[in-house]
């Protein structure tokens, strides 16, 4: 039979792994979005796409 300390150790390792993976996924998604926004800004030659995204992010 497995004791409680093994369950706690497995739980802690699983929690840490889950946090690391979720942070990486969020980071990748954010960088992709930022890259698309930067590319649109360079293509248009203005910062208008950035301002539009800021307005959309601030709307409730």
């Amino acid at each position: 039979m497995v004791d409680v300390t093994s369950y706690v150790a497995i739980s802690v390792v699983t929690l840490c792994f889950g946090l690391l993976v979720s942070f990486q996924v969020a980071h990748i998604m954010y960088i992709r979005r930022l890259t698309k926004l930067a590319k649109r800004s360079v293509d248009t030659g203005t910062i208008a796409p950035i301002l539009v995204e800021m307005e959309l992010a601030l709307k409730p």
Side-chain angles (χ1 to χ4, degrees), residues 33 37 40 48-60:
R33 185 175 172 196
L37 189 60
R40 276 192 355 215
I50 296 172
L51 298 175
V52 170
E53 286 292 324
M54 285 175 57
E55 282 185 12
L56 292 176
L58 292 177
K59 285 185 180 179

Side-chain angles (χ1 to χ4, degrees), residues 1-55:
M1 185 159 208
V2 181
D3 58 342
V4 177
T5 56
S6 297
Y7 281 123
V8 170
I10 291 170
S11 298
V12 168
V13 169
T14 304
L15 176 69
C16 292
F17 182 73
L19 288 174
L20 288 171
V21 169
S22 64
F23 178 77
Q24 281 297 108
V25 169
H27 181 70
I28 290 168
M29 289 175 56
Y30 176 74
I31 291 299
R32 284 183 182 168
R33 185 175 172 196
L34 187 62
T35 304
K36 286 180 188 176
L37 189 60
K39 189 181 284 188
R40 276 192 355 215
S41 293
V42 169
D43 289 343
T44 60
T46 65
I47 62 167
I50 296 172
L51 298 175
V52 170
E53 286 292 324
M54 285 175 57
E55 282 185 12

